[in-house]
């Protein structure tokens, strides 16, 4: 962005008037601008004198052109490809999205009408310039072109350098040479760093009959990213094994490893899983963003009364709190956020996990290691002798772990753990099925939290619409009870920011069940899950179904997403 001015006030005076700079700071910025020949707005930001978005708001007022944070836009290949790379790099611009015959373009100099006209002639669309910082545009350009081109070039280079032997005939030394070859390193880096730039939770590298398929999981759903000739899978697998310090020669047994990398000043933990298949080794890389675990309860998705009840759970001096849901439903994030919430110097908090997904400052964390005899049960026995106040057990998988966890809760410890059940009442029955005596469950369990993750409507292309009576009936909403007032749901039309999906990000849907006296009596009577559920609902339990519908009514997510993730049956 330039130090644009209107005829009355230049940018510097505007920043002073807005209270974003002092006179001395403005003088310092002007001095730097004089020596560097840079734009004033850019100088102010780079010197740390004002926040980028604050300076951008002032520029918006001067130019009447909206500012966009390019870093928040996932790159849409079909939109970027409308403009040739040489033009994008020469004029430092980036096409963002195409909608209603209008192409939105982030530009360092949105007042350059000659460039705007060239874009219009080149693409055939109306051009809507948007303000953006030069550094953000350059990072986005590199993120797109470097990743894509490096991958394609690396594939060509590997092809030219690849040994003529088949994968089965390659020796260990040849596999090592492939893994350390520059083209292979670039290709694997492009796959990994491309994922980190797109909020990917898992990377799948899968050998197919005719090609090697690369898929990314974004917001819970897999989508194709890249197709590579099948002959390159040995080089890719070998490189990943080297990075994760795995046995490069072993291709017949599953292997698990870990890679820690830093990207854009953020640290990521990559969990590697290799599994042999009839077509070769399938590799799945779980991407753990260590900064994402520092979430407040407000950002997790709790409704106000749900948050209040769960906070009551975690502030009890002792007892057991269970979090249930399928794999990938956000249980770990909820548990870590709870531990962060109650973590104080006065408490000794110890966890045993498989594996330790995120490292929490001030909390003692232990990983399960069956090779040396450290299981959940044996580790838990050791933990209770470490004078803990709070214990977190990654998962209750067997009766022995369940018994020890329950006993720990009864002897003055606050115990957190997870189970795989469909709803909150099902957790009680699961413990009974594991052999835990009902009177121990009734005495120890404080409450159960069940959860799922649903996608959030994209804020960039969000629109409101009136649902049909059939949809309301499917959700169990009685339109006659709305006093004749229309209901409005939200949905995403699909844009560059959400890769045309209509969704961006996810939020949890919860079912929070407090262990009441009635539920304790039913537990002692070995009641069924259905009986426990009916009793809990009678006492005011908001089911996941109801919590999900509430988020639809709040225009956070869509009915289709609730129906996809949560079983909904009209009552």
């Amino acid at each position: 962005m330039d130090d644009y001015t209107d005829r009355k006030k230049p940018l510097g005076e505007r920043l002073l008037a807005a209270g974003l700079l002092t006179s001395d700071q403005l003088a310092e910025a002007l001095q730097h601008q004089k020596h560097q020949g840079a734009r004033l707005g850019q100088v102010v930001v780079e010197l740390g004198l004002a926040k980028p978005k604050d300076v951008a708001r002032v520029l918006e007022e001067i130019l009447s052109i909206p500012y966009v944070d390019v870093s928040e836009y996932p790159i849409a290949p079909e939109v970027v490809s409308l403009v040739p790379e040489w033009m994008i790099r020469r004029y430092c611009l980036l096409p963002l999205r195409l909608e209603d015959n209008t192409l939105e373009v982030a530009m360092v100099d949105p007042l350059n009408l000659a460039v705007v006209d060239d874009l219009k002639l080149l693409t055939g669309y109306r051009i809507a310039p948007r303000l953006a910082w030069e550094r953000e545009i350059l990072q986005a350009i590199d993120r797109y072109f470097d990743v894509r081109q490096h991958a394609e070039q690396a594939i060509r280079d590997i092809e030219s350098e690849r040994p003529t032997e088949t994968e089965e005939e390659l020796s260990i030394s040849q596999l090592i040479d492939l893994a350390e070859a520059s083209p292979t390193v670039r290709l694997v880096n492009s796959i990994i760093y491309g994922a980190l730039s797109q909020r990917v939770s898992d990377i799948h590298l899968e050998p197919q009959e005719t090609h090697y398929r690369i898929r990314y999981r974004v917001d819970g759903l897999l989508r194709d990213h890249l197709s590579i000739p099948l002959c390159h899978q040995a080089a890719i697998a070998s490189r990943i094994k080297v990075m994760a310090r795995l046995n490069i020669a072993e291709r017949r047994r599953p292997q698990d490893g870990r890679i820690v990398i830093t990207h854009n000043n953020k640290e990521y933990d990559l969990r590697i899983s290799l599994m042999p298949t009839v077509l070769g080794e399938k590799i799945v890389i779980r991407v753990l963003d260590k900064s994402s675990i520092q979430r407040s309860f407000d950002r997790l998705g709790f409704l106000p009364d749900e948050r209040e009840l769960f906070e009551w759970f975690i502030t009890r001096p002792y007892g057991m709190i269970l979090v249930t849901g399928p794999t990938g439903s956000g249980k770990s994030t909820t548990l870590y956020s709870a531990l962060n919430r109650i973590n104080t110097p006065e408490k000794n908090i110890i966890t045993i996990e498989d594996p330790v997904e995120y490292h929490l400052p001030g909390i003692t964390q232990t990983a399960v290691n069956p090779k040396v005899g450290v299981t959940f049960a044996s580790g838990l026995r050791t933990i209770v002798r470490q004078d803990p106040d709070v214990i977190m057990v990654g998962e209750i998988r067997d009766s022995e772990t369940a018994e020890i966890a329950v006993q720990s809760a009864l002897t003055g410890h606050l115990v957190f753990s997870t189970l795989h059940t469909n709803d909150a009442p099902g957790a009680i029955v699961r413990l009974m099925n594991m052999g835990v005596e009902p009177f121990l469950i009734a005495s120890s369990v404080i409450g159960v939290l069940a959860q799922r993750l649903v996608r959030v409507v994209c804020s960039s292309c969000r629109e409101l619409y009136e649902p049909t009576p059939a949809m309301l009936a499917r959700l169990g909403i009685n339109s006659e009870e709305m006093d004749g007032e229309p209901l409005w749901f939200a949905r995403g039309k699909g844009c560059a920011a959400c890769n045309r999906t209509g969704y961006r990000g996810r939020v949890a849907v919860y079912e929070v069940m407090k262990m009441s006296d009635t539920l304790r009596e039913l537990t002692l009577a070995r009641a069924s899950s259905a009986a426990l559920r009916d009793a809990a609902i009678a006492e005011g339990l908001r089911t996941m179904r109801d919590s999900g519908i509430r988020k639809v009514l709040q225009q956070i997510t869509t009915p289709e997403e609730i129906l996809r993730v949560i079983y909904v049956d009209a009552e």
Side-chain angles (χ1 to χ4, degrees), residues 212 232-242 248 274 281 283:
Y212 200 44
H232 302 320
Q233 68 166 313
I236 295 172
S238 298
R239 175 59 189 167
I240 292 174
K241 288 176 184 178
V242 168
I248 196 170
L274 291 98
E281 287 180 295
I283 305 172

Side-chain angles (χ1 to χ4, degrees), residues 30-51:
L30 290 171
Q31 188 69 18
H32 274 80
Q33 183 193 25
K34 181 178 179 181
H35 290 298
Q36 298 176 3
R39 300 176 174 90
L40 179 59
Q42 193 73 32
V43 169
V44 169
V45 171
E46 289 180 354
L47 290 176
L49 302 177
K51 295 180 179 178

Side-chain angles (χ1 to χ4, degrees), residues 464-475 477 479 482 485-491 552-553 555 558-560:
L464 300 182
Y465 70 99
E466 192 171 354
T468 63
M471 176 57 73
L472 293 177
R474 181 72 180 89
L475 294 174
I477 299 174
S479 57
M482 305 309 296
E485 295 187 7
L487 279 176
W488 295 97
F489 289 176
R491 63 189 173 197
V552 173
L553 294 173
Q555 300 169 355
T558 65
E560 293 79 10

Side-chain angles (χ1 to χ4, degrees), residues 239-404:
R239 175 59 189 167
I240 292 174
K241 288 176 184 178
V242 168
M243 294 173 70
R245 299 183 178 180
L246 299 175
N247 185 349
I248 196 170
E250 180 58 72
R251 282 169 282 182
R252 296 174 298 174
R253 295 179 181 177
Q255 295 191 72
D256 296 309
R258 177 186 178 197
I259 304 170
V260 178
I261 62 174
T262 300
H263 179 61
N264 287 341
N265 297 319
K266 294 174 69 175
E267 190 171 323
Y268 294 88
D269 200 347
L270 308 181
R271 299 297 166 86
I272 314 298
S273 173
L274 291 98
M275 181 182 73
T277 73
V278 294
L279 296 175
E281 287 180 295
K282 173 179 168 63
I283 305 172
V284 175
I285 303 175
R286 167 64 58 88
V287 180
L288 301 176
D289 178 359
K290 295 190 175 183
S291 65
S292 68
I293 206 62
Q294 306 294 333
R295 289 190 176 184
S296 67
F297 280 10
D298 295 329
R299 293 183 58 198
L300 289 177
F302 281 108
L303 296 172
D305 55 336
E306 294 170 344
R307 185 182 67 183
E308 182 179 352
L309 182 55
F310 188 63
E311 286 185 330
W312 184 86
F313 289 171
I314 67 177
T315 53
R316 298 305 90 199
Y318 59 87
M320 176 179 281
I321 300 165
L322 296 169
V323 180
T324 78
T327 301
S329 60
K331 298 188 299 295
S332 295
T333 300
T334 298
L335 282 175
Y336 282 133
S337 297
L339 293 179
N340 271 330
R341 186 63 166 260
I342 62 174
N343 185 18
T344 63
E346 295 79 24
K347 287 189 175 74
N348 179 22
I349 302 176
I350 307 179
T351 75
I352 180 161
E353 308 168 55
D354 183 23
V356 176
E357 294 188 2
Y358 299 95
H359 295 280
L360 302 175
I363 293 177
T364 303
Q365 296 173 269
T366 305
V368 167
N369 188 352
K371 293 180 179 178
V372 295
V374 180
T375 62
F376 278 120
S378 65
L380 193 49
R381 285 196 189 92
T382 302
I383 286 174
V384 296
R385 295 193 290 269
Q386 290 283 314
D387 186 31
D389 298 294
V390 180
I391 301 170
M392 195 269 273
V393 184
E395 184 182 346
I396 295 178
R397 296 176 179 172
D398 52 56
S399 58
E400 187 180 11
T401 305
E403 289 279 1
I404 301 170

Side-chain angles (χ1 to χ4, degrees), residues 460-509:
S460 298
C461 60
R462 182 174 177 270
E463 67 175 4
L464 300 182
Y465 70 99
E466 192 171 354
T468 63
M471 176 57 73
L472 293 177
R474 181 72 180 89
L475 294 174
I477 299 174
N478 189 347
S479 57
E480 295 179 358
E481 297 177 358
M482 305 309 296
D483 297 327
E485 295 187 7
L487 279 176
W488 295 97
F489 289 176
R491 63 189 173 197
K493 292 185 290 185
C495 65
C498 61
N499 284 326
R500 303 294 170 187
T501 64
Y503 300 95
R504 181 169 166 79
R506 289 190 292 177
V507 70
V509 174

Side-chain angles (χ1 to χ4, degrees), residues 42 60 125 173 295 482 561:
Q42 193 73 32
E60 279 184 325
Y125 297 112
S173 62
R295 289 190 176 184
M482 305 309 296
E561 186 67 3

